[in-house]
Structure formats: structure tokens, C-alpha cells
Amino acid sequence: MKYPKTIYAIYVFGENGDVIGVYVGSSENVKQRILAHRTSTKAQQELHELMRKNGFNFQLLGVINEYEEAHLEYDWVDFFTHMEVRVFNTLK
């Protein structure tokens, strides 16, 4: 794995334009990774369909500089889970 990686959140909209959930990820190239989410039809199918159908927004949450900091991505998943936001990550 290459570092640094940027932690990002994708906020998915519902039919009314309201945020209905979030996906937290990390990548060394966020733009490329979000594009992959928009075009993917495999894993996390519901997330990807909602992104294409209703739109989304994203936010950069932080940076992982080395392997020992990989937990930071999961810390954000826990944060959103505890805030009772629907989390689309399959590994929670």
C-alpha cells in the first residue's frame, strides 16, 4: 500500500435530495476512487445505484500517513454509526 492516503466520506442523496447515508473510504487518489464508485456495479450495489440515480457529495476527512494509522478510516465509520447515520460500508 502507498501512503499517504486521504480518508473521504461520500454522502448519498435520496429522491428528495436529503442525505440518506454515508460511505467512508480511503485512497491515494480520491478523484479516481469516487469515479470508480460511480461506475461500479459489483460490491456495494445499492450505494452505487443511489449515487448514479440521486447524486452525492463528498468530504475529505483526514490523511493516513502510515500503516499504523489505518484505524482512522474505521474511527470515522464508528463516528457515523454512533451518530445514527446509515453507513454503507460493508465492513463496519
Side-chain angles (χ1 to χ4, degrees), residues 4-86:
K5 288 183 160 190
T6 301
I7 304 168
Y8 62 90
I10 298 174
Y11 301 99
V12 184
F13 300 134
E15 291 180 5
N16 298 327
D18 299 337
V19 173
I20 61 169
V22 64
Y23 173 85
V24 177
S26 65
S27 177
E28 56 192 68
N29 186 332
V30 174
K31 182 178 178 181
Q32 181 181 8
R33 184 64 185 116
I34 289 176
L35 179 60
H37 278 294
R38 289 211 55 211
T39 58
S40 178
T41 58
K42 295 179 182 178
Q44 299 154 327
Q45 185 175 357
E46 182 183 11
L47 168 72
H48 300 148
E49 287 177 5
L50 288 167
M51 288 174 72
R52 286 189 293 271
K53 180 180 176 184
N54 301 326
F56 65 96
N57 202 345
F58 72 94
Q59 178 181 18
L60 305 180
L61 301 173
V63 176
I64 300 171
N65 289 304
E66 56 189 47
Y67 178 78
E68 288 76 22
E69 297 177 343
H71 66 87
L72 296 173
E73 180 180 345
Y74 301 104
D75 291 351
W76 279 104
V77 171
D78 285 342
F79 169 79
F80 286 115
T81 300
H82 285 93
M83 296 299 292
E84 298 183 0
V85 175
R86 181 177 178 194

